Amino acid sequence: MKGFEYLQDELDQMEQDGVYRSLVPLETDQGATVTINAKKVIQLSSNNYLGLTTHPRLKLAAVRAADQYGAGTGSVRTIAGTFTMHEQFEQELAKFKHTEAALVFQSGFTANQAVLASLLTKEDVVISDELNHASIIDGIRLTKAARKIYKHVDMNSLEEALIESKDYRKKLVVTDGVFSMDGNIAPLPEIVALCEKYDALIMVDDAHASGVLGENGRGTVNHFNLDDRVHIQVGTLSKAVGVLGGYVASTRAVREYLIHKGRPFLFSTSHPPTVTAACQEAIQVLLDEPERIERLWFNANYLKRGLEKLGFDTGISETPITPVIVGDEKKAHEFSDKLLQYGVFAQGIAFPTVKKGQARVRTIVTSEHTIDLLDQALEAFEKAGKELKIIK
Ligand code: PMP
């Protein structure tokens, strides 16, 4: 069919520039190793931080829920698609997060969009870190409020933006808790202090800290003991929690308002019972098996130290997200391809996900990697890195 040739031209150009990427289908479940093209490789690209995607308790909860409540819900939450388990889970989440209330969305992406698009008016301003996640950027595109961007984790730049914003009705400062491409942690105590000084509200997107930082994985806010000083926490159920979804943990008023005005909540069908039941079980597992988080951090430090010893540039990472910065787009993808050849699945990440010239291979270890697997991965990194002259 004719009409979209211009798209093919752009795709051809991407291929020539070495940035065209095919999807990589997994032939097994999501574990410390996975099978790709009939070859078993070490998985260093998933967000399955705690191995919960395949936890027997989660799988059993999902199977039982499908059996008892069916495969789908048949409606959006606000019409006929709220089951008692949805509300129960939200109460459990709020308790876990030490907040008054919580509301679950189809994904972390839509949770961010719902909050940013609906809570502010044209009399307000949103102030955002320049490296915040795409879902925050898109949410901000949908808000009627004024927008300001501050330099990445730069407190002088944030303070300037707050001073310039003094005449707005409400100021909302939004930051990722852990930044997804560099693995650094936002300086939340400083951000909170500035927000309190200038009377601003704070929203933290804790996608990569949920299940990773804080007591039993409660997130960045809990990690810094700021439980009562951050107004909105957004989290994901799709990464360490091992299933799918996003949530907003905040006050009862925010929850009720989002039920009435959050467009993804209003206009998109609710999670199937399998998803909600598995998420409920995952929160229990976080409480029952804190040793998973300990193993995750041990493995993260082991891999990071190993990569640094080999001479790789791991940037400013402080969490289990460890980038290996290469710079050139094409080379980062070549590096990733070579790693796959040598038995490691670590995706290359380039513009527009990161700035031009900052291309990288991003690694994420999980609690399920053994030291033996991590040693094998380091050997592959050494071999591929030397061949491509990324290290000496
Ligand atoms: N925020 C951040 C910082 C993320 O990394 C992601 C996932 N890529 C999201 C939000 C979106 O979460 P989800 O995958 O649940 O939509």
Side-chain angles (χ1 to χ4, degrees), residues 107-109 112 133 135 176 178 180 205 207-208 236-239 245-246:
S107 67
F109 199 104
N112 273 332
H133 188 253
S135 53
D176 280 0
V178 169
S180 54
D205 170 4
H208 284 281
T236 179
L237 305 164
S238 330
K239 301 185 192 292

Side-chain angles (χ1 to χ4, degrees), residues 96-110:
F96 178 72
K97 294 290 288 183
H98 299 160
T99 56
E100 238 176 67
L103 189 68
V104 171
F105 289 79
Q106 291 80 1
S107 67
F109 199 104
T110 54

Side-chain angles (χ1 to χ4, degrees), residues 99-268:
T99 56
E100 238 176 67
L103 189 68
V104 171
F105 289 79
Q106 291 80 1
S107 67
F109 199 104
T110 54
N112 273 332
Q113 271 202 344
V115 171
L116 289 160
S118 67
L119 295 195
L120 303 173
T121 71
K122 62 181 183 348
E123 293 166 68
D124 306 323
V125 60
V126 55
I127 304 174
S128 176
D129 186 293
E130 66 178 333
L131 292 191
N132 277 341
H133 188 253
S135 53
I136 293 178
I137 296 170
D138 285 10
I140 289 174
R141 286 182 178 144
L142 294 171
T143 177
K144 294 190 183 71
R147 307 119 201 233
K148 289 186 194 293
I149 308 296
Y150 64 93
K151 290 195 192 119
H152 182 49
V153 299
D154 180 331
M155 293 302 99
N156 291 328
S157 175
L158 172 58
E159 185 159 20
E160 267 170 39
L162 283 162
I163 291 168
E164 282 170 17
S165 301
K166 64 178 180 352
D167 293 331
Y168 288 98
R169 184 191 70 150
K170 289 282 174 196
K171 303 177 270 291
L172 176 70
V173 172
V174 54
T175 180
D176 280 0
V178 169
F179 290 88
S180 54
M181 291 302 139
D182 287 299
N184 55 318
I185 304 173
L188 264 198
E190 288 89 335
I191 294 175
V192 167
L194 278 176
C195 287
E196 287 174 353
K197 181 170 171 194
Y198 293 98
D199 192 25
L201 301 165
I202 313 163
M203 164 176 171
V204 175
D205 170 4
D206 239 358
H208 284 281
S210 308
V212 173
L213 280 174
E215 191 193 9
N216 297 93
R218 284 179 169 82
T220 318
V221 173
N222 178 269
H223 168 75
F224 285 119
N225 280 322
L226 295 167
D227 274 348
D228 294 325
R229 294 167 68 192
V230 168
H231 303 82
I232 294 177
Q233 296 180 60
V234 172
T236 179
L237 305 164
S238 330
K239 301 185 192 292
V241 174
V243 195
L244 173 71
Y247 61 86
V248 175
S250 183
T251 63
R252 259 179 227 107
V254 166
R255 180 176 189 272
E256 287 302 308
Y257 194 83
L258 288 171
I259 288 174
H260 290 86
K261 306 272 185 178
R263 290 173 72 83
F265 188 87
L266 282 167
F267 296 113
S268 187

